[in-house]
Amino acid sequence: MKIQVAQFCPRLLDKTYNIEKINNIISDSDADIIVLPELATTGYFFTSREEVEKYAETTEEGTYTKWQQIAKEKDIIIVAGFAEKAGDKLFNSAAVIFPDEEYSSVYRKTHLFYKERFCFDKGDTGFEVIDYEPKDLRLGTMICYDWRFPEAARTLALKGADLIVSPSNLVTDVWHISTPSRALENKVYFAVANRVGTEKREDEELYFNGKSAIYSYNGQLMSKAEETTEEVIFAEINPLSTRNKSFNEYNDIFKDRESELYWQD
C-alpha cells in the first residue's frame, strides 16, 4: 500500500486557511493513507487554555466530519492533528479517519511538551492499534514528543501495529536519531509528519525543522522531506512484512524479551 506524509506550514490561528490547505492536499492524494502534522488545523504555539478553547473542535463538528466524508469518497485513511474539545477537556489530538466510519477514532497526546501543559489536558486514550480489516492494516498513532518514550512505540508494536504514524511539530535537532530506532527495535514502519515554518508569540519564537520521514521496519530511510519546504513524500509499504518478528532462524525480538527482568514502575 502507498503512504504519503504531507509537510506544510500551517498559519497560526487561521483555521480557514489551514483546513482548506489540508483538504486540498488530501483531495490531490493518490495514497491509501496520508499523514499530516500535529495541530495542523490551528498552528501550534497556543498561550492559554482560553485560546485553545476558542479554536478547538469536537468530533461532531465540521472538520472531523468533513474528513470522514473525504475518506469515504476517496477510500483513503487520514491522520491529522487538531485541537479537540471534549466536554470541559482540551486535547492535542490526532484524528484517525478510515473510509469505514466504524473504525475511525481519535488519539490524544500522552506526553505534553514544553508549554503545552498550560494549554491542554494530558491525553486519556492510551496507545491503541486499529486493525483495519478492509486493507489488512494494523495502525498505531502517537504525536510528536511521544517519540522520546520507547514505551509508546513498544506498546503499539506489542498490540500488533504494522505501521506507527506520528503527526508532529518538532523543534529539536535530535528526533531523527531515535525515530529510525523505533522502527528497527519494533520491526514496524514508522512515519513522521513534521511541519515547517516559525511561530512567534511575544518574545519567543519556535522554528519547526521539517525533514518529515518514512522509515522501513528495518530502520532504513524510505523517504525524507527537506528542512524548509512544503512537500508531500511517499513510500510503498507491505504491512504483512512486519508481522514475523524474527530476524534469523534463532532470534525473535518479541519472543526473546525477558519481561520479568525489566524494571517496572
Side-chain angles (χ1 to χ4, degrees), residues 97-111:
I97 309 291
F98 292 83
D100 305 85
E101 187 172 356
E102 63 268 26
Y103 291 93
S104 297
S105 70
V106 167
Y107 166 69
R108 295 166 177 163
K109 188 174 184 178
T110 302
H111 303 98

Side-chain angles (χ1 to χ4, degrees), residues 190-223:
F190 197 100
V192 181
N194 198 15
R195 60 159 291 180
V196 294
T198 59
E199 289 181 356
K200 187 172 184 179
R201 305 303 299 270
E202 299 173 349
D203 295 327
E204 188 169 11
E205 184 174 86
L206 295 180
Y207 172 74
F208 303 96
N209 54 28
K211 299 181 182 177
S212 298
I214 304 168
Y215 301 97
S216 181
Y217 57 82
N218 58 11
Q220 294 299 308
L221 182 66
M222 301 179 76
S223 186

Side-chain angles (χ1 to χ4, degrees), residues 128-144:
E128 295 298 333
V129 172
I130 300 170
D131 186 354
Y132 186 51
E133 294 178 0
K135 294 191 177 180
D136 198 9
L137 172 69
R138 300 169 186 173
L139 178 65
T141 303
M142 62 173 64
I143 296 176
C144 201

Side-chain angles (χ1 to χ4, degrees), residues 136-251:
D136 198 9
L137 172 69
R138 300 169 186 173
L139 178 65
T141 303
M142 62 173 64
I143 296 176
C144 201
Y145 183 48
D146 289 334
W147 73 264
R148 283 261 188 181
F149 303 87
E151 299 90 342
R154 176 51 56 90
T155 298
L156 290 170
L158 288 173
K159 289 184 174 183
D162 308 312
L163 166 66
I164 297 174
V165 296
S166 181
S168 299
N169 280 184
L170 291 154
V171 296
T172 73
D173 60 358
V174 296
W175 62 270
H176 62 281
I177 300 171
S178 288
T179 44
S181 296
R182 299 292 169 263
L184 173 64
E185 67 201 9
N186 293 295
K187 197 178 179 182
V188 296
Y189 293 100
F190 197 100
V192 181
N194 198 15
R195 60 159 291 180
V196 294
T198 59
E199 289 181 356
K200 187 172 184 179
R201 305 303 299 270
E202 299 173 349
D203 295 327
E204 188 169 11
E205 184 174 86
L206 295 180
Y207 172 74
F208 303 96
N209 54 28
K211 299 181 182 177
S212 298
I214 304 168
Y215 301 97
S216 181
Y217 57 82
N218 58 11
Q220 294 299 308
L221 182 66
M222 301 179 76
S223 186
K224 184 178 180 180
E226 298 295 328
E227 181 174 340
T228 61
T229 59
E230 294 190 329
E231 56 184 298
V232 178
I233 61 173
F234 72 92
E236 295 284 344
I237 67 172
N238 177 10
L240 296 179
S241 63
T242 71
R243 296 180 188 174
N244 180 349
K245 300 298 181 179
S246 63
F247 60 93
N248 63 38
E249 60 182 313
Y250 302 112
N251 293 107

Side-chain angles (χ1 to χ4, degrees), residues 4-18:
Q4 288 182 330
V5 167
Q7 175 174 288
F8 78 106
C9 180
R11 293 180 183 174
L12 183 62
L13 308 183
D14 190 345
K15 284 178 63 177
T16 300
Y17 170 85
N18 295 332

